[in-house]
């Protein structure tokens, strides 16, 4: 009926036997990967003469191992290290295409047919390592080592200075590691710790000196680098912003990157607004970078938060060198003329945000009807618009503000998990946000849609009235694709914007 690329045998009794694929395609964490494509890119490295990439299913989930034959006389004068090759590949391939292990060999073992014999290749525990081996020295290090060995299942020995991610770990295994640490030690590791402490030695040191159950308000990547810092508001409330750990060395390897997480957890009555979230981030940012110039990047809804942070920093007399908004837009950009009305809403603590959302929601509906009206030419359109507006006038919202307080706001978060709560809080804050003008330049990165797929409508017109100048940069990707399979395209666009001078 259609070709799938699979090989099968149809028995006389109607049974289908699956015999594998006709090509070398494999699945890595749900993504289809063609090892031959990775081999072709790896051979482009000036210090690699030949390469083979094979899947390894010996540890439960499928991982890729790349074997390469170094050039006789490498262009750099020395054979490339595993870390250098991984970094080089990460700039040219999606994250899930980069092999977990990269092993140099003198030559490839060949079978009787003249093809490479995968079973004769050395195990990934035999790769040369530049880190010095150190056995566990404390009870905590022994416990962490046992957890890592169960999850990573390495064929070689693990030391306390081995990096979790370089030894085959990924975000899913990291979540399992956090669960195991909590089960064994009774300590909950925040996701943010793994950005900075991805070795047994550093993680054990933090566990031995602190009892922490909440996420850090700011995480520093590439701390020792001397360049101008970047503040990155990751906006990934379901994944913890893991992608920034891979993105940072691709966009600015010479600069520290301050990662600011999403907020919204905690008491359901906390009235988080975009202004309040931005003020918290600004305060945290100033603890590590007291003065500007600042470089701000915000992804998704956090793009709006980055915009408000820039406004607050400029209002405080600071210089914002870069403001980069990625795939996000303010919902109420067309309603800035209604600021006096919004300012008249009484400050009833947690009720103010809900009332402001309701009034702005009505105003957005009226604005939509008026824009539709301008496209009409049939008789009676004016009367129809007036009747429609009359049914949902914002004055009704104002009348409700003057009415007696009906009681506490119902908790709409009941039954939601932590990620869903944070997402709901962020969305409600965006619905109630009325942006103010920004006197600087805004670089807007937009995921226009994957090649051959649907094209996403560009919301740049919402930004143009707000900033002094708006520069558009389109990327051929979907929204989630920016931080998954198209991370290399995302990094390339960000690097171009960061390196461009005003």
């Amino acid at each position: 009926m259609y070709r799938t690329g699979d090989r099968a045998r149809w028995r006389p009794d109607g049974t289908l036997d699956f015999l594998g694929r006709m090509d070398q395609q494999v699945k890595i964490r749900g993504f289809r990967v063609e090892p031959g494509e990775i081999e072709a890119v790896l051979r482009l490295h000036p210090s690699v003469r030949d390469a083979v990439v094979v899947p390894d299913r010996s540890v439960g989930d499928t991982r890729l191992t790349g074997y390469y034959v170094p050039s006789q006389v490498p262009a750099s004068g020395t054979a490339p290290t595993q870390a250098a090759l991984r970094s080089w590949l990460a700039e040219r391939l999606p994250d899930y295409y980069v092999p977990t292990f990269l092993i140099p060999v003198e030559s490839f073992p060949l079978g009787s047919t003249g093809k490479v014999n995968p079973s004769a290749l050395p195990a990934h525990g035999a790769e040369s390592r530049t880190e010095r081996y150190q056995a566990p020295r404390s009870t905590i290090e022994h416990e962490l080592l046992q957890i890592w060995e169960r999850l990573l299942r390495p064929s070689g020995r693990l030391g306390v200075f081995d990096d979790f991610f370089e030894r085959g770990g990924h975000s899913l295994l990291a979540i399992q590691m956090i669960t195991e640490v909590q089960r064994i030690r009774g300590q909950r590791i925040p996701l943010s710790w793994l950005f900075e402490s991805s070795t047994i030695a550093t993680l054990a040191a933090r566990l031995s000196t602190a009892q922490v159950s909440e996420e850090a308000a700011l995480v520093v990547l590439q701390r020792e680098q001397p360049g101008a810092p970047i503040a990155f508001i990751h906006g990934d409330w379901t994944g913890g912003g893991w992608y920034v750990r891979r993105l940072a060395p691709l966009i600015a390897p010479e600069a520290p990157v301050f990662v600011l997480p999403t907020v919204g957890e905690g008491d359901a009555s906390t009235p988080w607004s975009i202004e309040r979230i931005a003020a918290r981030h600004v305060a945290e940012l100033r603890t590590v970078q007291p003065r500007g110039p600042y470089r701000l990047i915000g992804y998704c809804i956090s793009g709006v938060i980055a915009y408000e942070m820039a406004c607050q920093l400029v209002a405080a007399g600071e210089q914002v060198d870069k403001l980069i908004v990625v795939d996000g837009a303010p919902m109420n950009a067309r309603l800035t003329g209604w600021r006096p009305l919004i300012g008249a809403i009484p400050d009833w603590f947690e009720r103010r945000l809900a009332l402001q959302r309701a009034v702005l929601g009505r105003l957005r509906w009226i604005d939509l009807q008026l824009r539709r009206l301008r496209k009409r030419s049939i008789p009676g359109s004016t009367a129809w618009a007036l009747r429609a507006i009359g049914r949902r006038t914002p004055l009704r919202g104002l009348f409700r503000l003057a009415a007696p307080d009906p009681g506490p706001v119902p908790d709409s978060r009941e039954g939601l998990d932590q990620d869903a709560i944070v997402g709901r809080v962020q969305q409600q804050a965006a619905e109630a946000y009325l942006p103010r003008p920004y006197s600087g330049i805004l670089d807007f990165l937009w995921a226009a849609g994957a090649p051959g797929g649907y094209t996403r409508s560009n919301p740049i017109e919402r930004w143009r009235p707000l900033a002094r100048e708006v520069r558009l940069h389109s990327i051929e990707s979907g929204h989630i694709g920016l931080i998954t399979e198209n991370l290399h395209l995302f990094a390339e666009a960000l690097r171009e914007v960061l390196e461009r001078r005003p």
Side-chain angles (χ1 to χ4, degrees):
M1 295 175 64
Y2 57 88
R3 294 183 180 274
T4 65
D6 299 315
R7 295 177 63 245
R9 176 172 52 211
W10 194 354
R11 293 183 174 182
D13 62 357
T15 302
L16 281 174
D17 290 337
F18 176 67
L19 304 177
R21 293 192 58 83
M22 290 184 289
D23 55 18
Q24 300 300 315
Q25 192 179 90
V26 294
K27 268 197 172 183
I28 304 294
R29 304 201 297 276
F31 296 102
R32 292 192 178 276
V33 175
E34 177 56 61
E37 297 179 9
I38 307 172
E39 294 170 0
V41 174
L42 192 52
R43 292 187 187 106
L44 296 176
H45 192 282
S47 297
V48 173
R49 180 158 52 91
D50 200 1
V52 170
V53 176
V54 297
D56 177 12
R57 299 180 178 88
S58 63
V59 292
D61 58 344
T62 302
R63 304 178 193 176
L64 296 173
T65 299
Y67 298 88
Y68 64 95
V69 179
S71 301
Q72 293 278 344
V73 182
S76 60
T78 58
T81 64
Q82 178 178 186
L85 269 182
R86 283 179 58 85
S87 177
W88 187 85
L89 286 173
E91 295 178 3
R92 293 159 175 80
L93 293 170
D95 172 65
Y96 56 89
Y97 261 64
V98 179
T100 302
F101 307 102
L102 289 164
I103 304 172
V105 294
E106 293 183 1
S107 62
F108 295 133
L110 303 180
S112 58
T113 61
K115 296 182 179 180
V116 175
N117 181 10
S119 61
L121 290 166
H124 55 69
E127 71 271 24
S128 62
R129 303 187 55 78
T130 58
E131 301 89 350
R132 63 185 180 89
Y133 171 79
Q134 174 64 59
R137 300 156 295 182
S138 65
T139 302
I140 298 179
E141 290 185 350
H142 274 284
E143 291 173 341
L144 290 176
L145 180 66
Q146 291 173 354
I147 293 173
W148 284 29
E149 287 178 338
R150 286 198 300 271
L151 295 177
L152 300 176
R153 301 182 186 178
S155 57
R157 62 181 182 177
L158 278 173
V160 299
F161 297 120
D162 288 329
D163 186 277
F164 181 81
F165 298 97
E166 290 185 3
R167 292 306 303 266
H170 48 73
S171 58
L172 297 180
L173 287 178
I175 297 298
Q176 295 179 40
M177 186 189 73
I178 290 173
T179 302
E180 283 295 291
V181 171
Q182 186 172 6
R183 181 180 65 83
I184 293 174
R185 294 198 55 82
Q187 290 175 283
R188 177 179 178 269
I189 300 177
L191 289 174
S192 56
W193 278 21
L194 298 180
F195 280 94
E196 301 177 306
S197 307
S198 54
T199 68
I200 290 175
T202 54
L203 191 56
R206 299 188 75 164
L207 282 168
S208 63
T209 58
Q211 291 278 349
V212 180
S213 61
E214 296 183 358
E215 292 293 339
L218 184 144
V219 174
V220 182
L221 300 179
Q222 305 173 173
R223 183 186 297 271
E224 304 301 326
Q225 297 301 322
I230 296 171
F232 200 111
I233 309 93
H234 66 67
D236 179 22
W237 61 74
T238 61
W242 289 98
Y243 71 92
V244 187
R245 194 178 190 275
R246 307 190 307 272
L247 187 66
L250 300 181
I251 62 174
E254 78 294 342
V257 176
F258 306 139
V259 184
L260 293 156
T262 55
V263 298
E265 69 281 3
D267 190 341
S269 65
T270 301
W272 285 109
S273 64
I274 294 296
E275 292 88 349
R276 181 175 177 180
I277 295 171
R280 168 177 161 166
H281 284 341
V282 166
E284 291 295 336
L285 180 58
R286 283 184 147 178
T287 63
V288 291
Q289 186 184 1
R291 302 301 303 271
Y294 292 96
R295 300 197 289 177
L296 308 176
I297 303 174
Y299 169 75
C300 193
I301 290 180
S302 290
V304 179
I305 298 172
Y307 176 85
E308 175 61 25
M309 289 175 64
C311 291
Q312 293 184 16
L313 287 168
V314 170
E318 295 290 350
Q319 178 185 351
V320 176
D321 182 51
K322 293 287 183 181
L323 171 58
I324 305 175
V325 174
V326 183
D327 230 43
M331 301 176 64
N332 302 311
R334 297 175 57 88
L335 306 178
T336 54
W338 292 94
R339 192 176 299 279
L341 171 64
I342 300 303
I345 298 177
D347 190 6
W348 289 349
F349 301 102
E350 68 269 15
R351 292 197 59 81
R352 176 183 173 84
L353 191 65
L355 293 170
Q356 186 166 319
R357 285 175 51 226
V359 172
L360 286 171
R362 292 187 179 92
L363 292 175
R364 285 197 304 273
W365 184 86
I366 292 173
D367 178 70
L368 175 62
Q369 301 307 317
L370 291 176
R371 283 186 282 127
R372 288 178 175 175
L373 177 63
R374 284 194 288 267
K375 298 179 180 179
R376 289 175 175 264
S377 59
I378 60 175
S381 60
T382 303
W384 172 86
L386 291 175
R387 286 196 302 272
I389 293 173
R391 286 194 296 269
R392 296 188 64 176
T393 174
L395 293 178
R396 294 185 182 182
L398 292 181
F399 293 150
R400 290 195 187 97
L401 295 180
D405 185 2
V409 179
D411 184 7
S412 60
R413 309 178 197 174
E414 186 176 354
L416 299 178
D417 60 24
Q418 192 70 12
D419 291 340
I421 289 175
V422 175
R424 175 74 62 84
V425 169
Q426 296 271 315
Q427 181 65 28
Q428 291 176 348
E431 292 172 357
Y433 178 58
L434 195 61
R436 47 182 164 167
Y438 174 62
S439 58
I441 298 173
L442 186 153
D443 285 284
F444 182 52
L445 271 61
W446 178 245
Y454 68 94
T455 301
R456 304 177 69 212
S457 177
N458 194 329
I460 192 172
E461 294 306 323
R462 300 189 202 174
W463 288 114
R464 292 196 193 279
L466 298 177
R468 173 168 61 87
E469 180 183 350
V470 179
R471 299 169 177 169
L472 174 64
H473 312 267
S474 295
I475 305 174
E476 290 189 341
S477 172
H479 178 71
I480 299 299
L482 287 177
I483 61 175
T484 54
E485 66 264 28
N486 295 320
L487 190 74
H488 59 300
L489 298 178
F490 185 23
E492 182 180 343
L494 282 175
R495 190 168 58 247
E496 179 182 344
V497 174
L498 290 169
E499 293 174 354
R500 179 187 298 176
R501 301 312 306 166

